[in-house]
């Protein structure tokens, strides 16, 4: 996991300075870092608070901060601010996701930096894009509630957040897309620009299909647990060993394959079920029969038949089971990092392949300020702060 592996990667030679915490900002930096950019994380001398989160936040730090370097400084000190400004002067990109106004207070906002570095690309990730809500505090859960995503996820009357930080992660991804686009544009114009990515707008983008559905059908959109599916068989079935398998049949051709593979000749020969929309209307007639039949089969039998037939299917897994997933283990889908107690664990790699390459861990998750001295020396700045916590993760 050495820096030597940073050769011949797509973003080799791009330097990014990030002022970020939690998930949204670090995700943006992770994408850029995995693709070969030199991403330098600016942290307080005590370290990013994300390092110390418990409960559902315990995995944030190690998941989104590999392949980065850490500089721990006191931005209120003259030498700390001087070091950071020197690093920015050598950078292509600055990213930040702190509360509105925080970067302005220390003179590291886009307008201040643009005045001395016109080709700088600056990405600001906030709860909301400019508008009436822009100064509100936001979290992934907040925007899921107000965008309709939580309404669509839970049963009627029980809004439920998605089971992952979907907006934080996607907001960081959209920020990375904007940054990459700005790098290409700068190649034509020589100019940098300000990019903004918003959590709320990201969540609205996710529910766009449901907004369009209501306008097209003229009917209120039901939450996903109560929805009328577009397909007749698109369900979770319980096998005889009480294990569950999702099975989808999403075309008329698949319906025939499904019936043949599972020995359902009576359904295959029923002309009133030949077309998908006919089957959607007749679900009450044949779904109890399917559930009863599948309840006599084991999970393994169900999955084997689906695989043989070429149907979409999935076992219902818990996240912990992914550590042993044969596809991830054999396809480069997991990459090693070191957690706080020194143990090595595997976490998901970037879900992307380019030219046959997967992108994994080159630099382990950094300790607090583990690159401060090295980068200060390169920058020619004598930083006099207390950054002796390099061993902490």
């Amino acid at each position: 996991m050495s820096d030597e592996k940073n050769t011949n990667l797509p973003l080799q030679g791009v330097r990014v300075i990030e002022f970020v915490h939690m998930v949204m900002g670090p995700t943006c930096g992770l994408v850029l870092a995995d693709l070969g950019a030199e991403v330098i994380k600016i942290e307080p001398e005590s370290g990013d608070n994300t390092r110390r989160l418990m409960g559902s936040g315990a995995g944030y730090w190690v998941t989104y901060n590999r392949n980065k370097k850490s500089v721990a400084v006191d931005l209120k000190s003259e030498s700390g601010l001087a070091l950071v400004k020197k690093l920015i002067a050598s950078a292509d990109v600055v990213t930040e996701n702190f509360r509105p106004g925080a970067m302005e207070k220390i003179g590291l906002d886009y307008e201040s930096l643009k005045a001395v570095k016109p080709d700088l690309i600056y990405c600001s990730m906030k709860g909301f894009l400019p508008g009436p809500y822009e100064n509100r505090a936001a979290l992934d859960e907040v925007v899921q509630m107000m965008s309709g995503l939580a309404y669509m996820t839970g049963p009627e009357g029980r809004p439920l957040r998605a089971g992952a930080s979907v907006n934080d992660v996607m907001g960081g991804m959209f920020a990375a897309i904007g940054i990459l686009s700005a790098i290409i544009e700068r190649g034509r114009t020589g100019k940098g620009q300000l990019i903004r990515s918003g959590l709320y707008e990201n969540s609205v983008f996710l529910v766009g299909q449901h907004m369009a559905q209501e306008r097209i059908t003229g009917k209120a959109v039901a939450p996903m647990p109560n929805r009328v599916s577009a397909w007749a068989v698109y369900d979770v079935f319980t096998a005889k060993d009480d294990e569950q398998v999702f099975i989808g049949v999403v075309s008329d051709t698949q319906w025939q394959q499904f019936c043949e593979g599972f020995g359902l000749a009576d359904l295959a020969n029923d002309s009133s079920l030949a077309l998908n929309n006919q089957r959607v209307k007749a679900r009450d007639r044949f779904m109890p029969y399917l559930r009863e039949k599948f309840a006599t089969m084991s999970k393994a039998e169900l999955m084997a038949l689906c695989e043989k037939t070429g149907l979409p299917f999935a076992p219902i897994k818990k996240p912990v089971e992914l550590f042993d997933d044969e596809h991830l283990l054999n396809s480069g889908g997991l990459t090693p990092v070191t957690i706080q107690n020194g143990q090595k664990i595997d976490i998901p790699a970037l879900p992307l392949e380019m030219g046959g390459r997967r992108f994994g861990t080159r630099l382990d998750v950094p300790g607090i300020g583990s690159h401060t001295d090295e980068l200060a020396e390169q920058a020619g700045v004598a930083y006099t702060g207390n950054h002796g916590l390099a061993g902490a993760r």
Side-chain angles (χ1 to χ4, degrees):
M1 297 186 294
S2 72
D3 206 21
E4 294 176 1
K5 293 184 179 179
N6 193 26
T7 56
N8 300 318
L9 290 172
L11 297 183
Q12 182 181 350
V14 173
R15 174 172 271 194
V16 180
I17 312 298
E18 65 170 30
F19 299 84
V20 301
H21 63 158
M22 301 293 271
V23 175
M24 187 185 189
T27 296
C28 174
L30 174 70
V31 172
L32 302 175
D34 274 14
L35 292 174
E38 180 189 24
V39 177
I40 301 170
K41 174 178 290 294
I42 307 300
E43 304 185 62
E45 291 189 320
S46 58
D48 185 334
N49 285 332
T50 310
R51 293 176 179 270
R52 295 179 282 275
L53 291 177
M54 300 171 65
S56 61
Y60 289 178
W61 176 258
V62 295
T63 301
Y64 302 111
N65 288 288
R66 64 175 177 266
N67 292 331
K68 299 179 183 181
K69 298 178 178 180
S70 169
V71 169
V73 296
D74 178 4
L75 288 173
K76 294 179 181 178
S77 73
E78 185 176 339
S79 61
L81 194 57
L83 171 56
V84 165
K85 287 185 174 180
K86 197 69 179 288
L87 291 174
I88 290 172
S90 68
D92 299 281
V93 179
V94 168
T95 67
E96 66 91 12
N97 75 325
F98 286 97
R99 68 186 184 278
M103 299 299 281
E104 285 84 353
K105 286 183 180 178
I106 53 176
L108 296 178
D109 57 297
Y110 175 63
E111 290 301 323
S112 298
L113 297 177
K114 172 188 173 185
V116 295
K117 189 173 176 60
D119 65 345
L120 182 68
I121 294 166
Y122 191 106
C123 183
S124 182
M125 292 164 272
K126 304 296 185 189
F128 306 91
L129 294 183
Y133 303 158
E134 66 181 296
N135 290 316
R136 288 188 186 180
L139 298 168
D140 199 321
E141 199 144 340
V142 168
V143 300
Q144 287 193 41
M145 296 296 170
M146 66 188 296
S147 69
L149 182 58
Y151 172 82
M152 290 303 302
T153 302
E156 190 76 46
R158 291 172 53 198
L160 186 66
R161 69 154 287 162
S165 303
V166 291
N167 290 295
D168 279 323
V169 172
M170 287 189 67
M173 290 167 58
F174 277 119
I177 291 169
I179 289 167
L180 297 176
S181 300
I183 289 173
I184 293 172
E185 188 171 15
R186 187 178 64 181
R188 295 196 306 268
T189 67
K191 298 178 180 179
Q193 61 183 286
L194 174 63
I195 299 161
R196 292 187 173 103
S197 176
L199 275 183
Y200 177 55
E201 286 77 8
N202 180 87
S203 199
V204 170
F205 187 81
L206 286 173
V207 300
Q209 65 196 68
H210 301 305
M211 295 167 64
Q213 175 190 343
E214 184 144 344
R215 285 292 185 259
I216 290 167
T217 65
K219 298 178 180 177
V221 177
M224 297 298 272
N226 304 101
R227 75 193 186 280
V228 175
S229 174
W231 301 284
V233 180
Y234 203 72
D235 296 79
V236 174
F237 296 91
T238 302
K240 69 178 180 182
D241 44 15
D242 286 330
E243 295 281 352
Q244 293 181 308
V245 178
F246 169 83
I247 300 174
V249 179
V250 296
S251 71
D252 296 333
T253 299
Q254 281 190 358
W255 172 253
Q256 291 301 321
Q257 294 169 336
F258 171 67
C259 291
E260 181 180 349
F262 282 86
L264 304 170
D266 49 342
L267 296 182
N269 296 328
D270 188 336
S271 60
S272 69
L273 300 177
L275 301 177
N276 179 68
N277 287 351
Q278 292 176 308
R279 295 191 295 275
V280 169
K281 294 176 182 177
R283 271 175 56 88
D284 290 345
R285 177 154 59 93
F286 66 83
M287 282 301 294
Y289 170 63
L290 292 183
R291 293 194 183 281
E292 185 177 338
K293 180 178 179 65
F294 293 163
T296 67
M297 305 169 67
S298 69
K299 169 186 171 183
E301 289 172 325
L302 269 176
M303 290 173 57
L305 271 177
C306 287
E307 182 115 48
K308 181 179 179 181
T309 308
L311 294 174
F313 73 95
I316 309 304
K317 289 186 175 182
K318 297 176 182 177
V320 69
E321 296 177 76
L322 300 180
F323 289 115
D324 300 313
D325 183 281
E326 62 175 341
H327 178 81
L328 296 175
L329 291 173
N330 286 283
S331 66
L334 298 174
T335 188
V337 294
T338 306
I339 60 176
Q340 193 168 16
N341 65 4
Q343 177 187 356
K344 286 271 196 291
I345 66 167
D346 288 331
I347 57 173
L350 206 65
L352 180 69
E353 181 183 280
M354 293 178 64
R357 295 173 297 176
R358 293 296 299 268
F359 303 96
T361 306
R362 303 184 314 281
L363 293 174
D364 208 338
V365 180
I368 300 171
S370 54
H371 300 87
T372 305
D373 291 338
E374 170 195 337
L375 290 168
E377 184 178 353
Q378 288 178 14
V381 175
Y383 178 59
T384 57
N386 174 26
H387 48 275
L389 302 173
R393 292 192 181 280

